[in-house]
Amino acid sequence: MPAEQHCRDQHGVNSRRIEHTLGRTSPDRRGRHVTGKDQRHRHGIHAISKTSPSRSPGNDLMRRLIRSALFVPASKARAIEKAAHVGADLLILDLEDAVGPDEKAEAREAVEAAMRSWDASGSVRAVRINALDSEWGAADMRAAARADAIVLPKVEQVGDLHAARSALSSHGSSIPIWAMIETPRALLALNAISSAVGTGLAGLIAGTNDLCKELRCSSEHDRLALIPHLVNMVGAARARDLYVLDGVYNHFRDPKGFRAEAEQGRALGFDGKSLIHPGQVDLAHLYFGPTARDLEHAAKIVAAFASPENAGKGVISLDGDMVERLHLEAARALLSTASENDS
């Protein structure tokens, strides 16, 4: 059974992306024309000028699911072409770790073509640039300014986000920023970094490979050494209503190991997982998407509160559990997101 079909069968929902539409038309993945003021609005991410200083860029629109974030080497034309059809929620064209020093300039030239080839994919199209203070950073930022989002590596302080926003603004771009958390300094500055939503910060991504290297710890034993830091990252993101994505699983031919790590990441509170191989996309959707049981339970909560005998109640009993109105809000959000994602 294909992985995509397995995902639908297990969860009772199709794993298509949410489309938020305003303004001009452009084709979606199924060849239909959707309206969109620009590509950022089409992908459910709005411009920094639309956001409140204390809120993240996704709050005022229907939040889409970001279960999968696939890193794609900018130096590999075949990988870029294939990525357009794998159905990842977030595609990240990688100019940093996946590209050697001698390939940086040539890889940067592939950005515009990659963004065009991914335009009808239904995915959020992002570019991971090299650090702004590197010899490649400024040119990377200029090339990436027309993507849907920027992924900023090794963010260690609020100043890194302000510098990125200033650089994007100089190119007339208001796209959101995703911050990679990859160093001990970043861990110490998590509260300040996650609070910098006025810079257009949309989410945090755990750079677990670099974290293990810098912390001199191991990713073995169910990532025991990393769990406190991963939990802190989730807490910092939730405090500011940011997305937060788990790190990559390196053994792409090991679906059993991927499942264990993905289920751990979901249990810790991550929205989704960053990926290094197209074959991991459907698995990420399976383990991070809502299950049929989740949707059924949400529907029961909504129906129970809609019942006349529960009108005006703040807490009700449902299947032996006490359910509050905060659970009702969560249930409605889950059903709405699933409905949009399946349309």
Side-chain angles (χ1 to χ4, degrees):
M1 177 184 296
E4 182 181 359
Q5 182 64 47
H6 179 66
C7 179
R8 287 197 295 266
D9 291 346
Q10 291 294 314
H11 286 241
V13 292
N14 197 317
S15 59
R16 297 189 182 111
R17 263 70 44 210
I18 293 171
E19 303 290 347
H20 184 88
T21 61
L22 292 169
R24 73 176 179 85
T25 64
S26 58
D28 69 5
R29 294 188 67 215
R30 286 162 285 171
R32 302 177 308 173
H33 276 70
V34 295
T35 59
K37 184 176 181 181
D38 57 28
Q39 292 303 311
R40 292 184 298 281
H41 284 95
R42 181 169 71 84
H43 294 301
I45 297 179
H46 62 169
I48 182 66
S49 61
K50 299 291 185 181
T51 64
S52 161
S54 64
R55 303 291 284 174
S56 68
N59 287 310
D60 296 334
L61 300 177
M62 170 65 70
R63 285 174 65 91
R64 58 174 290 157
L65 296 176
I66 302 291
R67 304 155 296 180
S68 58
L70 178 64
F71 284 102
V72 183
S75 57
K76 306 294 184 183
R78 181 69 185 94
I80 293 172
E81 179 184 354
K82 185 174 182 180
H85 309 290
V86 299
D89 296 324
L90 175 62
L91 290 173
I92 305 173
L93 189 69
D94 192 5
L95 299 177
E96 195 214 13
D97 285 347
V99 178
D102 295 338
E103 301 174 298
K104 297 288 188 185
E106 184 177 356
R108 189 184 307 119
E109 293 176 0
V111 171
E112 184 176 353
M115 295 301 104
R116 284 200 306 269
S117 72
W118 294 349
D119 186 59
S121 68
S123 306
V124 177
R125 307 163 306 159
V127 178
R128 177 163 72 168
I129 66 170
N130 288 278
L132 270 179
D133 60 359
S134 72
E135 60 183 289
W136 309 288
D140 286 355
M141 184 65 85
R142 183 168 56 251
R146 295 296 175 245
D148 296 322
I150 287 287
V151 176
L152 200 62
K154 297 178 177 63
V155 173
E156 294 188 325
Q157 57 185 340
V158 175
D160 296 334
L161 297 173
H162 284 289
R165 174 51 55 202
S166 177
L168 285 168
S169 296
S170 71
H171 299 303
S173 177
S174 58
I175 60 176
I177 299 169
W178 289 73
M180 296 286 301
I181 305 299
E182 305 179 86
T183 69
R185 287 185 178 181
L187 297 176
L188 291 176
L190 266 177
N191 182 56
I193 290 170
S194 62
S195 297
V197 292
T199 63
L201 181 64
L204 308 178
I205 303 176
T208 46
N209 285 336
D210 280 288
L211 276 175
C212 284
K213 175 185 175 183
E214 296 294 327
L215 292 169
R216 303 176 195 169
C217 71
S218 171
S219 61
E220 302 298 320
H221 308 294
D222 297 326
R223 303 196 294 181
L224 180 64
L226 285 177
I227 285 179
H229 309 301
L230 297 177
V231 169
N232 287 339
M233 200 176 303
V234 171
R238 293 290 171 253
R240 289 294 181 175
D241 197 21
L242 301 168
Y243 287 106
V244 59
L245 302 180
D246 198 0
V248 301
Y249 183 71
N250 298 312
H251 311 295
F252 62 88
R253 290 193 174 93
D254 177 18
K256 183 177 179 180
F258 182 91
R259 173 177 182 168
E261 191 166 290
E263 289 183 337
Q264 180 195 58
R266 177 166 182 173
L268 292 177
F270 284 97
D271 293 303
K273 194 163 183 63
S274 49
L275 313 172
I276 59 169
H277 191 275
Q280 297 174 323
V281 170
D282 284 334
L283 293 175
H285 292 181
L286 177 63
Y287 302 130
F288 284 95
T291 66
R293 179 176 295 181
D294 293 334
L295 297 173
E296 180 182 358
H297 184 61
K300 289 179 71 174
I301 291 175
V302 172
F305 272 102
S307 179
E309 63 264 28
N310 294 324
K313 290 184 179 180
V315 181
I316 63 173
S317 175
L318 180 64
D319 297 335
D321 294 326
M322 299 307 294
V323 180
E324 303 177 40
R325 286 201 168 267
L326 64 91
H327 299 118
L328 173 62
E329 294 174 7
R332 284 173 172 164
L334 176 62
L335 292 172
S336 179
T337 299
S339 176
E340 290 288 335
N341 206 58
D342 196 40
S343 61

